[in-house]
Amino acid sequence: MEIVETEQHPDATRRAAWLAASAAAQRPAPRPGPRRGPRRALRRAVLVALAAGVLVGGVLLLRPDDGGHRAKPAAPGPAARALSAVAAGAPASVGDLTALITDRAAWVRTHPKDEASWAVLGSAYVERGERGADPSFYPRAEWALKRSLEVRPKDNQDAEIGLAALANARHDYAAARTLAEGVRARAENRWTLYPPLIEAYNGLGDAKGAAKAVERLLELRDGSASLTQAAEVYRAHGWREDATVAADEAVAHATSPVQKADALVAAGDLAWERGEPDGALARYEAALHADPGAHAALAGRARAKVALGRTADAQRDYQAAIARLPRPEYVLELGELYEAQGLDGDARTWFDKLRELTARDGSNGVDDALVLGRFETDHGAVHSALDRLEAEWRAHPSPAAEDALGWAMYRAGETEEALAHVRKATDSGVRSALFSYHQATIERELGQSGAARRHLQDALRTNPYFSPVFAPKAKEELAALGEPPGGGPRDVYGHVAAAAQAGPSESGPDSGSGGGGGGGGGTGSASSGTSSNQGTKHPARPRPARPAKPSQRH
């Protein structure tokens, strides 16, 4: 066989390839049925792969030669792989994204009226900035996406969705929600709008909106990326078992090393939050084995090693993660690890690095108010933190912002107001050992010993290793509170309540969970592990439309 290139210009074929891949990816995937042949989703995946192959190689035709041999098709190049990932809403590696950016930037220089290529260039810039924690790509992304809208102001949904993803990357969740909801109002079945919409809802603390959006996403598009996002929504609702199942299914359905690593990191984070450092460590190491560029797994592995007493190894992992993925939250964790060891000089070095990173992020439009406010609260700038976190909470009233604001208020001496905020955070459904510890500390300050004891137990039951600084303090505070007084809860005059004096057959099922002494006996709310959330109405659980198991797929 002899390979002959067609007369069609290769730049034109790249343009056609992107349009074909984008159109194929936008079609909703049909649900599998018992008597259907090969799924149309598989045929669409083939079309996307073929279109991506055309992107970098041009259109090639085969004609028989004298030898009768057939040439093997060339493997997709890095730009083609990144294009397929971007079109399918899946993660791509940093190297592949760089190749795609180079290819599209070269194209639009000679074809400035190609709005589709401007949109994919801007979206690739956003993804590249996120995967490398490099916000310098965000101004370029904004320029490319707005250029796409200038060329085509109406019905340019790719550019609008790209701008929503950019707003999320900059932590401007309100703007992201507005953009994504605007697309949804005109094209409800366009599945690519739902990932940025879900992230925006999570950032704004709208758990009900996120649950409805993820249900719709799973109806329109199954696969690893959708399941990974579903796991995050279930986690925010406190549905830890559902979150774990979704994350494990995301691992099983991954179609690339990068996708598999992302799902394994999500599964590792869930295991860590459950206080299972061995399970978390295994998942993080599997993620690094699948994709050595999964630098978030290095930070996760460091957390797990701290819990397992491997502090020196943890420090090396943190430093390696920060060198490749300089996220301020990783720097804060490493600084507090040194602080917990009494190495204040090393801790200050990393805290200075934290300030540098947040200043860098701010110069590129990224709002790091939450992590910077947490740092300032615990490290000497309480009033600055209070102003910063109050503004953040008003703009993005998520459970994380609610808890951080409450803790800053407590540090500033506003104890009563602080308790109201941290209670809202713990009642949100998120199972967070840090939230429970903050509530317990404030309750103890207010003399509410029973409630403080109960929430300290909650924190240590949820994750006994949740912080190298605060987990040891939680154990000390619980020991200082001692056992609850005998005889059950007492009334305002100090007398034991009648229900508590009655025998087991006479007392109600909730007799162990009332008043100040309910947490110590391990009954009532303590047995379920959700004491701080009792009586809270959560959004209805969505019906996850999960894809078939691998063995059931064609």
Side-chain angles (χ1 to χ4, degrees), residues 103-129:
D103 181 89
R104 290 295 86 192
W107 170 264
V108 295
R109 275 196 293 269
T110 55
H111 299 80
K113 297 297 184 181
D114 184 353
E115 81 287 345
S117 288
W118 280 115
V120 74
L121 176 61
S123 297
Y125 276 136
V126 174
E127 181 76 3
R128 175 64 182 82

Side-chain angles (χ1 to χ4, degrees), residues 287-310:
L288 288 166
H289 179 74
D291 175 23
H295 305 310
L298 284 171
R301 191 170 72 174
R303 291 185 209 106
K305 286 180 177 179
V306 172
L308 296 171
R310 298 164 57 181

Side-chain angles (χ1 to χ4, degrees), residues 13-98:
T13 64
R14 285 198 290 269
R15 158 78 169 160
W18 162 246
L19 292 175
S22 179
Q26 291 309 320
R27 300 190 194 96
R31 314 307 304 172
R35 295 181 178 269
R36 298 176 68 170
R39 296 180 61 188
R40 285 186 292 171
L42 179 60
R43 293 199 295 273
R44 282 204 313 280
V46 173
L47 288 174
V48 171
L50 288 174
V54 170
L55 172 69
V56 291
V59 178
L60 300 179
L61 298 179
L62 302 178
R63 74 182 184 196
D65 62 9
D66 294 338
H69 297 291
R70 290 183 177 272
K72 293 183 179 179
R81 290 194 299 267
L83 175 64
S84 296
V86 170
S93 70
V94 168
D96 290 355
L97 286 165
T98 301

Side-chain angles (χ1 to χ4, degrees), residues 443-444 446-456 481 516-517:
E443 288 168 337
R444 188 181 179 208
L446 292 170
Q448 301 175 15
S449 300
R453 183 184 297 108
R454 185 166 65 252
H455 288 109
L456 286 169
L481 285 171

Side-chain angles (χ1 to χ4, degrees), residues 12 55-56 59 94 132 141 160 171 173 191 214 225 239 245 260 264 335 341 400 478 511 517 524 535 543-545:
L55 172 69
V56 291
V59 178
V94 168
E160 293 176 77
H171 306 153
Y173 303 111
W191 67 267
V214 83
W239 303 335
V245 169
K260 184 174 183 179
L264 282 164
Q341 297 175 273
L478 184 60
S511 60
R543 301 180 300 280

Side-chain angles (χ1 to χ4, degrees), residues 154-168:
K154 294 183 179 180
D155 296 325
N156 192 346
Q157 294 164 359
D158 286 333
E160 293 176 77
I161 293 169
L163 285 170
L166 175 61
N168 281 326

Side-chain angles (χ1 to χ4, degrees), residues 101-263:
I101 288 168
T102 301
D103 181 89
R104 290 295 86 192
W107 170 264
V108 295
R109 275 196 293 269
T110 55
H111 299 80
K113 297 297 184 181
D114 184 353
E115 81 287 345
S117 288
W118 280 115
V120 74
L121 176 61
S123 297
Y125 276 136
V126 174
E127 181 76 3
R128 175 64 182 82
E130 287 192 288
R131 296 206 72 80
D134 186 351
S136 67
F137 285 94
Y138 297 155
R140 285 176 270 181
E142 183 177 8
W143 183 81
L145 292 165
K146 288 185 175 179
R147 177 65 179 142
S148 178
L149 284 171
E150 287 175 6
V151 175
R152 185 181 178 185
K154 294 183 179 180
D155 296 325
N156 192 346
Q157 294 164 359
D158 286 333
E160 293 176 77
I161 293 169
L163 285 170
L166 175 61
N168 281 326
R170 286 172 157 170
H171 306 153
D172 188 356
Y173 303 111
R177 178 184 60 185
T178 299
L179 286 160
E181 285 183 343
V183 176
R184 184 177 61 177
R186 304 190 308 273
E188 183 183 2
N189 292 332
R190 191 178 182 90
W191 67 267
T192 51
L193 74 90
Y194 287 96
L197 182 61
I198 293 165
E199 186 176 352
Y201 283 147
N202 283 334
L204 293 168
D206 185 356
K208 185 179 292 186
K212 290 180 179 178
V214 83
E215 181 178 8
R216 184 61 177 148
L217 173 62
L218 290 170
E219 290 173 355
L220 293 170
R221 190 78 174 181
D222 57 21
S224 181
S226 299
L227 285 164
T228 301
Q229 202 145 31
E232 171 61 22
V233 172
Y234 299 157
R235 184 202 68 81
H237 278 77
W239 303 335
R240 300 169 76 175
E241 295 80 6
D242 292 324
T244 301
V245 169
D248 289 343
E249 287 192 11
V251 174
H253 289 80
T255 57
S256 71
V258 177
Q259 210 173 71
K260 184 174 183 179
D262 275 15

